[in-house]
């Protein structure tokens, strides 16, 4: 649909539009562009997919909701397409990231951030004395020991120095730079970079990210700031006045997956030792186990907890979605045969009707192989757990 055409939203997308969306869903290129490379959010989807759905199934000015926004891919692409973005997530890190990726950073703030980056060698010096009561002693630095101890110390110094930046936007941006560089330095590592390499990485990440946020601002000139909600999708109706007084014209999302473990809230260092360090760096609260972020305990044999949370989130989403709005999601299943059927039942119970109902045999559906994801799941039946499918529904 041409931007600004004002054409009515299609009642049922023609096959050609569905084919375009599925082709975009199959996109296997590394995630890049806009501010998407600010953080590698686990199980994030391709910006090409989010953008193609937003362009095909909404009009400029429409309200696009991602109720489980994760790293904020949909929020960023929605703003770039000139639509209004609403995102929610139960993970405080997600809200931090979506905010940092869409922040309005002024020219004066860019100068301040550049000055901070120039001073990294002295600010992040190992010899610098850590202040008493500094953030380096924070419980969220758990498991940053052994070879990671020196990185923890210089990171603590860097975080302590943020008070020298005059605005909250500049401080948040630098936290995000440190988050990106630290994810590179720590997550999934058995051996850590040297402090010289780490500081160099902070400098280059910072410069690249400044370029990305400036270019995002130039392309999203007309976009309203997004509405970002830190809460369960089940509670979305509570926030309805914040949705610009309206309801969602389109929902684009990817929920937690039944039976599949994704580590949304931890980094793994030195093998499988988990650290809550991302919350320390982003200055956000944590305190929850994996089940909190994944709709319950994945080891439950019948996934009863998962489907009950899915049902209440879908009711919350339906309550803030316009009648006739499309709801497009990318989802994966540990046991596709059993889980997909129950997933579709929950959608239907919540008041959503599937558009592509031609898939009587679930193995005929579109399945996209998942590139290099960090999750653990068994392979069952015709489709493996490391494959995702796209579901297209409309609100009744
Ligand atoms: C598959 S990820 C979304 C990834 C996202 N599409 C992206 O591109 O980064 C699923 C997200 O659902 C969030 N989540 C889990 N339970 C939730 C709930 N009850 N309400 C809202 N979000 C929830 C998790 O924290 C996680 O960020």
């Amino acid at each position: 649909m041409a931007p600004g055409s004002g054409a009515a939203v299609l009642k049922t997308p023609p096959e050609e539009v569905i084919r375009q969306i599925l082709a975009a869903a199959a996109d296997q290129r590394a995630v890049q562009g806009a501010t998407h490379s600010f953080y590698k959010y686990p199980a994030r989807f391709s910006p090409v997919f989010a953008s193609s759905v937003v362009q095909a199934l909404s009009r400029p000015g429409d309200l696009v909701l991602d109720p489980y926004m994760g790293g904020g891919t949909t929020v960023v692409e929605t703003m770039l397409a000139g639509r209004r973005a609403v995102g929610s997530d139960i993970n405080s890190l997600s809200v931090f990231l979506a905010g940092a990726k869409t922040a309005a950073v002024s020219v004066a703030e860019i100068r301040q951030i550049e000055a901070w980056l120039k001073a990294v060698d002295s600010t992040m010096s190992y010899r610098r004395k850590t202040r008493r009561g500094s953030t380096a002693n924070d419980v969220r630095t758990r498991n940053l020991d052994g070879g990671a101890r020196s990185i923890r110390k210089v990171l603590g110094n860097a975080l302590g120095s943020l008070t020298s930046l005059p605005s909250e936007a500049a401080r948040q941006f630098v936290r995000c730079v440190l988050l990106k560089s630290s994810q590179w330095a720590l997550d999934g590592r058995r051996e850590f970079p040297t402090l010289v390499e780490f500081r160099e990485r902070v400098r280059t990440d910072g410069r690249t990210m400044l370029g990305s946020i400036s270019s995002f601002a130039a392309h999203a000139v007309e976009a309203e700031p997004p509405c970002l909600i830190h809460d369960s999708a089940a509670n979305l109706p509570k926030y309805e006045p914040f949705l610009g007084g309206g309801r969602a014209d389109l929902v684009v999302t990817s929920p937690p997956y039944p039976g599949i473990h994704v580590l949304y809230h931890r980094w793994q260092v030195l093998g499988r030792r988990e650290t809550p360090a991302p919350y320390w760096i982003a200055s956000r609260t944590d305190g929850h186990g994996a089940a909190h972020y994944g709709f319950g305990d994945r080891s439950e044999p019948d996934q009863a907890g998962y489907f009950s949370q899915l049902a209440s989130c879908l009711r919350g989403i339906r309550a803030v979605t316009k009648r006739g709005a499309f709801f497009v999601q990318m989802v994966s299943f540990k046991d596709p045969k059993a889980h997909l059927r129950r997933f579709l039942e929950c959608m239907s119970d919540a008041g959503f009707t599937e558009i592509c109902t031609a898939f009587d045999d679930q193995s005929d559906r579109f399945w996209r192989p998942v590139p290099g994801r960090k999750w653990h799941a068994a392979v069952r039946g015709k489709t493996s757990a490391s494959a995702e499918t796209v579901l297209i529904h409309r609100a009744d």
Side-chain angles (χ1 to χ4, degrees):
M1 194 177 301
S5 66
V9 170
L10 310 159
K11 278 208 166 120
T12 303
E15 236 174 71
E16 177 200 324
V17 170
I18 294 181
R19 258 204 306 275
Q20 261 172 33
I21 292 175
L22 296 185
D27 185 74
Q28 294 281 355
R29 279 169 296 176
V31 173
Q32 56 187 3
T35 48
H36 295 297
S37 58
F38 278 23
Y39 187 77
K40 287 186 181 160
Y41 197 85
R44 61 195 175 150
F45 55 33
S46 136
V48 175
F49 170 69
S51 158
S52 121
V53 177
V54 169
Q55 298 277 358
L57 300 179
S58 70
R59 294 173 291 177
D62 274 358
L63 203 141
V64 179
L65 166 70
D66 187 340
Y68 326 104
M69 69 180 155
T73 315
T74 310
V75 171
V76 169
E77 289 302 325
T78 295
M79 290 173 71
L80 288 172
R83 278 70 161 163
R84 291 175 296 146
V86 180
S88 66
D89 203 291
I90 208 163
N91 187 354
S92 62
L93 194 62
S94 155
V95 180
F96 169 82
L97 289 166
K101 287 175 167 183
T102 56
V105 184
S106 71
V107 174
E109 284 160 343
I110 291 178
R111 298 283 164 270
Q112 289 150 12
I113 295 164
E114 282 170 343
W116 188 92
L117 290 170
K118 270 200 186 123
V120 148
D121 280 338
S122 81
T123 315
M124 295 178 68
S125 157
Y126 188 77
R127 284 197 294 276
R128 205 182 174 96
K129 209 162 174 244
T130 305
R131 275 181 294 152
R132 273 178 68 155
S134 100
T135 50
N137 304 318
D138 197 297
V139 288
R140 291 168 295 181
T141 62
R142 194 169 63 246
N143 284 335
L144 294 190
D145 43 26
R149 200 186 297 270
S150 52
I151 290 186
R152 183 185 75 184
K153 179 172 190 296
V154 300
L155 259 176
N157 288 345
L159 295 172
S161 79
L162 293 183
T163 47
S164 69
L165 288 162
S167 78
E168 185 48 34
R171 288 193 285 274
Q172 163 158 297
F173 190 88
V174 172
R175 278 189 194 280
C176 197
V177 172
L178 293 169
L179 194 65
K180 177 176 168 63
S181 308
S182 305
Q183 188 181 35
W184 166 81
L186 300 168
D187 190 20
R189 289 270 197 166
R190 283 183 185 277
E191 278 181 31
F192 303 105
T194 64
L195 290 183
V196 171
E197 288 165 338
F198 183 48
R199 285 189 286 261
E200 183 51 29
R201 181 79 184 199
V202 171
R203 266 191 298 268
T204 49
D205 280 342
R207 285 188 199 119
T208 312
M209 288 167 70
L210 279 176
S212 305
I213 201 77
S214 304
S215 135
F216 173 80
H219 286 95
V221 173
E222 312 247 309
E224 283 178 30
C227 172
L228 304 175
I229 297 165
H230 176 208
D231 205 340
S232 167
N235 296 328
L236 277 170
K238 267 193 351 204
Y239 301 90
E240 213 188 327
F242 295 115
L243 303 180
R247 293 183 170 188
D249 298 287
L250 171 66
V251 182
V252 186
T253 199
S254 172
Y257 304 150
I260 298 181
H261 176 49
V262 181
L263 214 50
Y264 294 112
H265 69 313
R266 294 285 181 266
W267 290 341
Q268 282 180 311
V269 288
L270 302 168
R272 288 179 171 264
R273 298 183 69 201
E274 294 179 4
T275 177
Y279 295 88
W280 171 52
I281 300 166
S283 185
R284 288 294 183 275
T285 48
D286 167 36
H288 298 286
H292 181 72
Y293 302 100
F295 280 177
D297 182 358
R298 84 193 139 105
S299 57
E300 234 182 20
D302 64 351
Q303 296 295 306
Y306 176 95
F307 285 104
S308 119
Q309 288 209 43
L310 175 70
S312 64
C313 285
L314 289 175
R315 280 194 297 274
I317 296 166
R318 179 63 192 87
V320 297
T321 301
K322 274 188 194 156
R323 202 166 161 203
F326 290 105
F327 183 156
V328 181
Q329 57 198 320
M330 194 176 267
V331 55
S332 183
F333 307 91
K334 179 173 179 185
D335 179 349
K337 214 165 174 216
H339 293 161
L340 176 55
R341 185 183 46 78
R342 288 174 74 189
F343 197 99
L344 291 172
E345 280 166 11
C346 287
M347 288 294 291
S348 157
D349 291 349
F352 296 101
T353 300
E354 193 174 19
I355 297 292
C356 308
T357 46
F359 307 113
D360 290 338
D361 178 355
Q362 300 302 4
S363 60
D364 285 347
R365 280 181 182 271
F366 162 86
W367 290 98
R368 165 194 192 269
V370 176
R373 296 285 174 79
K374 280 207 305 182
W375 62 45
H376 318 281
V379 174
R380 292 219 199 149
K382 284 187 180 174
T383 46
S384 92
S386 56
E388 294 163 318
T389 193
V390 176
L391 306 176
I392 306 179
H393 285 76
R394 286 192 77 199
D396 304 334

